[in-house]
Each structure stands twice: as C-alpha cells, then as structure tokens.
Amino acid sequence: MPAPFRRPSPEPWSDPATRRLAEQAWLRQAFKLIAQPPDLDATGRGELSRLLQVQASPTAFIDALKEGAVDHSVSEADLTDWLRNPEFTPYPALAQSLLLRLDSTRLKRPVFLDVIAFNYENSPGEPSPRLLEDVDTGVLEAAVVEGWNIRYGETASEFGELLT
C-alpha cells in the first residue's frame, strides 16, 4: 500500500526558507501525480487538480513557474490574488496546465504569465478556463509562443522551439 500523500508540514520552528523548500518539493510531487495518474480518468485528474489548488499556496505556484522560466509583468500581490481565485480568473488553471506541459523542461527565456493569460483568453472561440480540464494545451502553447514573440521581437512558430 502506498504511503499517504500529504502536504509538507515542517516543524513549527522551521525557518520560512525551509518551509518554502518543503512546499516546492511537495508541489513538484503533486504535479507528477497529476501528470501520470495510475488509475485516474479525466474526472479524477480534475478532482486531484482542485485539491492541489486548495492546498498549495500561490507562492508555491509562482516559484514553480519561475523554475520553468515563466515570470510576470504585474505585481506579485496581484498575481497572488488571481492565483487564489479559480472561480473568476483563468490563472490557476493556466498555471497548472503550463506546469504540467513544461514538466521537467523550461523555457529558454522567461515569458510573462499575465501575457500568456491575455493571449489565451483572446484566442478566437476559446472560453476562459476555470478548471485544468478546460485548458486546451494547443491554445496554451500558442499563447506562450505569441508572448515570447512579442517580448523578444522574434518569430518562433512552435512551442518546442522555446524549450531548453
């Protein structure tokens, strides 16, 4: 029987840096479970994603996105608020989907998450996603490529070109 999957809880006397490292490690492990669920269908993956959204702090998502070379052009306070609000913003769903797509790779240079979200929401015919399962990976990749091209004045055409 596998060990229970629990959110890390370092000793209360741990310093904030240790707690942040523990949360980052937990978030990476959680995404591995979502990416490669043993016997979960799409509904189960969605429920696991919602559980992750409730338990992980926005700071953990911001840190994980930075590891993948996804930054932001808005204040961290605004981004934190948006990541806490899956009911009214696409940021939690897009952040999770982007982290799953990047997996163990990263972008060669940073792209703004808020620009990615804007590009995604302004794609023809695409509703603003609120759940991980609502995110169209192809549209998300195109939104990243568009954000890259705008930021760096380039003409990349495929998401794979942007990865290290």
Side-chain angles (χ1 to χ4, degrees):
M1 178 163 194
F5 182 69
R6 297 186 189 151
R7 183 173 182 206
S9 52
E11 300 300 329
W13 56 85
S14 296
D15 63 286
T18 302
R19 288 180 191 199
R20 195 169 192 163
L21 287 174
E23 190 167 47
Q24 288 171 356
W26 176 81
L27 189 63
R28 279 192 295 276
Q29 184 63 30
F31 274 111
K32 286 180 185 174
L33 285 175
I34 291 174
Q36 301 171 356
D39 292 318
L40 289 179
D41 58 7
T43 303
R45 287 183 65 193
E47 292 302 317
L48 187 57
S49 166
R50 282 183 277 291
L51 176 66
L52 173 63
Q53 184 61 42
V54 169
Q55 289 194 352
S57 73
T59 306
F61 278 98
I62 291 169
D63 290 343
L65 289 164
K66 283 180 186 173
E67 286 180 19
V70 178
D71 58 1
H72 48 90
S73 64
V74 296
S75 73
E76 192 162 322
D78 284 344
L79 186 59
T80 298
D81 285 343
W82 298 336
L83 285 168
R84 279 192 186 123
N85 194 349
E87 192 173 337
F88 296 105
T89 73
Y91 285 84
L94 293 175
Q96 286 186 38
S97 186
L98 193 52
L99 289 169
L100 285 169
R101 176 60 185 91
L102 289 171
D103 192 23
S104 60
T105 62
R106 57 180 280 120
L107 299 170
K108 293 176 185 174
R109 292 187 284 181
V111 177
F112 296 131
L113 179 61
D114 44 298
V115 172
I116 294 168
F118 177 84
N119 294 341
Y120 189 100
E121 288 193 297
N122 288 291
S123 297
E126 285 302 317
S128 183
R130 297 297 184 256
L131 304 171
L132 177 63
E133 56 265 29
D134 295 339
V135 177
D136 181 324
T137 306
V139 174
L140 179 61
E141 288 178 1
V144 174
V145 170
E146 185 179 352
W148 172 284
N149 288 339
I150 290 168
R151 186 166 180 178
Y152 300 111
E154 296 183 5
T155 56
S157 59
E158 292 190 26
F159 183 77
E161 298 174 39
L162 313 181
L163 301 175
T164 57

